[in-house]
Amino acid sequence: MPAAAPLSRPILAGVVTALVGFTSSFAVVLTGLDAVGADAAQAASGLLAATLTMGLACVVLAWRYRMPITVAWSTPGAALLVATGTVEGGWPAAVGAFLVTAALILLTALWPALGALIARIPPSIAQAMLAGVLLPLCLAPITGIVANPWGVIPVVLTWLVCARLAPRWAVPLAFVAAAAVVAVSLAQERAPFDPGLLVPRLELTAPVFTVGALVGLALPLFIVTMASQNVPGIAIMRSFGYEVPWRPAMLVTGVGTALGATAGGHAINLAAISAALAASPDADPDPKRRWVAGASTGVTYLVLGGFSAAFAALVVLAPVAVIPAVAGLALFAAFGSSVQQAIDDPGERLPAVVTFLVAASGISVLGVSAAFWALVAGLLVRTVLHTSR
C-alpha cells in the first residue's frame, strides 16, 4: 500500500491558491472601490475586510464539511463597480448596496425560489453583461502602453512570457513587475513616504440606501456574483467529486458579505477558477485530505490581510496606467470565457450582442447603471425574438 503524501502538500496547495487568487485580482478590487467613491483609506479598508471575511469563510466551510471549499471576493463584481462608477448617494450608498447584496445572498439560502429565478436568466445574457462590464478594464493594458509606455510595457511583457512558461503565475508575476516599476519610480522621484500607510485598519461607513444604488449596483452585483462565481464554483467542485452544500455555503458567504460591507467589502462568494487549485488531485491524491488545502487557503488569506494596506499603498503610489494595466491583464481570461459563452448558441447570439453593447456603453439612465439596462435590453430582445417564433 503506497504511503500517504505528506500533509505539507495540501497545505502548500492552499497557500498557492490564496497567493494566486489575491495577487491576481486585488488591483481590480481597489480600482472598483475607488470607482464607486471610496477614498484611499476606505478602499484599503474594503480590501482588508474582504480578505479577512473570505479567509474566515474558507476555514469554516472546509473544516465543517471536510471539503476543499474555497471562498473568494467577487472579481467580476469588482469589475462591475468600475463600470458603474459613482452612484446616487456616493460611497455611503455603495456601502448600502453591498449590504443589500448580502441580504439577497442570504435570501437565496433561505428561499430556494430566488436561486431558481436567477438560474432562469439565460447564461448567454448573464455572460454577455459580464463581458460588456469587463471590456473597458481589459482595454487598460492597451491604452496604458500609449499613456505610459515605460511603465506598462515591462508589465505586459512579463505577463506574456509567463503566460507561455507558467500560466498560473502570469498575473501575479505581472504584479511583481508592476511593483518593481513603482519602486523605480519612487526612487527616481525621491518622494516622501508615510509609514502609516502600511498599517491595516478598518474604516466603517454608515450605509445609505438609494434607488439608483439598489437597482443599478446591488441587483447587478448580486446577479454577477451568483451567475459568474457561485454557480460555476459549485460546478467546478462537482467535477472533482465534491457536492458543496448550497444553503450553508450561501449562508456563510452572505454573512461574510454583510460583516465586511460597512468596512467597504463588496461581496464574497464561492471561488470558481481558483477552486481547482485546492480541489484537484494535485493538492493531494486522497480526496478526503484535500479539505486541508481549503483551510490552508483561508489561513493564508488571513495572513495576507495583514499586508492589505501595503498592497493598497502600492496602488496609490503607482505611476499612471500601471495598476489598471495589471487589473486588465487579470481579467483577460474571464473576458474571453464570457464572450465565448455569450455567443456560443446561435439562437441566443443577437440578444447577447445587444446585452454586451449596452453594458459596454457605460450609459446611465435615471441614475441606474448600464449593467441593469443591459439585462433589461437583452431579456427584452430575447423575449421578442422567441415570442415571434
Side-chain angles (χ1 to χ4, degrees), residues 3 43 68 165 190-191 244 267 380:
L165 301 177
R190 297 183 180 179
V244 176
L380 177 62

Side-chain angles (χ1 to χ4, degrees), residues 5-24:
L7 199 60
S8 59
R9 181 167 174 176
I11 292 175
L12 181 59
V15 172
V16 170
T17 301
L19 287 174
V20 170
F22 185 96
T23 57
S24 295

Side-chain angles (χ1 to χ4, degrees), residues 24-364:
S24 295
S25 54
F26 83 92
V28 184
V29 173
L30 290 172
T31 303
L33 295 175
D34 174 73
V36 292
D39 60 28
Q42 290 164 337
S45 172
L47 182 68
L48 173 60
T51 306
L52 294 180
T53 51
M54 68 189 188
L56 290 172
C58 285
V59 173
V60 169
L61 289 171
W63 181 277
R64 171 64 179 81
Y65 296 100
R66 289 301 193 266
M67 295 183 192
I69 302 174
T70 51
V71 174
W73 50 49
S74 177
T75 302
L80 174 69
L81 302 185
V82 179
T84 302
T86 305
V87 294
E88 176 191 357
W91 173 243
V95 170
F98 301 161
L99 279 172
V100 173
T101 301
L104 290 172
I105 296 173
L106 287 170
L107 188 59
T108 304
L110 302 174
W111 186 38
L114 180 58
L117 181 62
I118 295 299
R120 291 185 62 184
I121 298 176
S124 59
I125 298 293
Q127 294 300 323
M129 181 191 74
L130 177 59
V133 165
L134 295 179
L135 177 61
L137 277 170
C138 290
L139 292 174
I142 301 168
T143 57
I145 290 176
V146 177
N148 183 7
W150 296 110
V152 175
I153 288 178
V155 175
V156 174
L157 288 179
T158 301
W159 169 82
L160 182 59
V161 171
C162 294
R164 172 66 179 85
L165 301 177
R168 179 184 300 176
W169 295 97
V171 175
L173 290 176
F175 162 69
V176 172
V181 170
V182 175
V184 171
S185 174
L186 291 176
Q188 291 177 339
E189 296 176 3
R190 297 183 180 179
F193 177 74
D194 180 10
L197 293 174
L198 303 179
V199 180
R201 58 176 62 90
L202 295 175
E203 297 277 344
L204 301 182
T205 300
V208 170
F209 301 97
T210 65
V211 174
L214 299 183
V215 177
L217 181 55
L219 185 59
L221 178 58
F222 169 65
I223 293 174
V224 164
T225 298
M226 295 298 297
S228 302
Q229 293 284 152
N230 285 329
V231 174
I234 292 286
I236 289 172
M237 291 294 290
R238 186 175 292 129
S239 71
F240 291 108
Y242 298 101
E243 287 295 333
V244 176
W246 173 260
R247 178 169 291 182
M250 293 303 99
L251 285 173
V252 170
T253 56
V255 169
T257 299
L259 290 175
T262 55
H266 65 296
I268 63 170
N269 43 245
L270 292 174
I273 297 174
S274 61
L277 298 177
S280 71
D282 290 338
D284 195 290
D286 184 358
K288 295 182 180 179
R289 296 206 318 166
R290 292 177 202 161
W291 70 270
V292 175
S296 172
T297 300
V299 172
T300 306
Y301 276 136
L302 295 176
V303 173
L304 286 171
F307 297 94
S308 59
F311 285 100
L314 190 67
V315 171
V316 172
L317 297 171
V320 63
V322 172
I323 297 302
V326 176
L329 294 171
L331 295 170
F332 275 12
F335 176 74
S337 176
S338 297
V339 170
Q340 180 183 12
Q341 294 178 59
I343 64 174
D344 189 51
D345 184 351
E348 302 286 351
R349 193 164 294 166
L350 186 56
V353 168
V354 171
T355 304
F356 169 79
L357 293 175
V358 174
S361 70
I363 61 169
S364 177

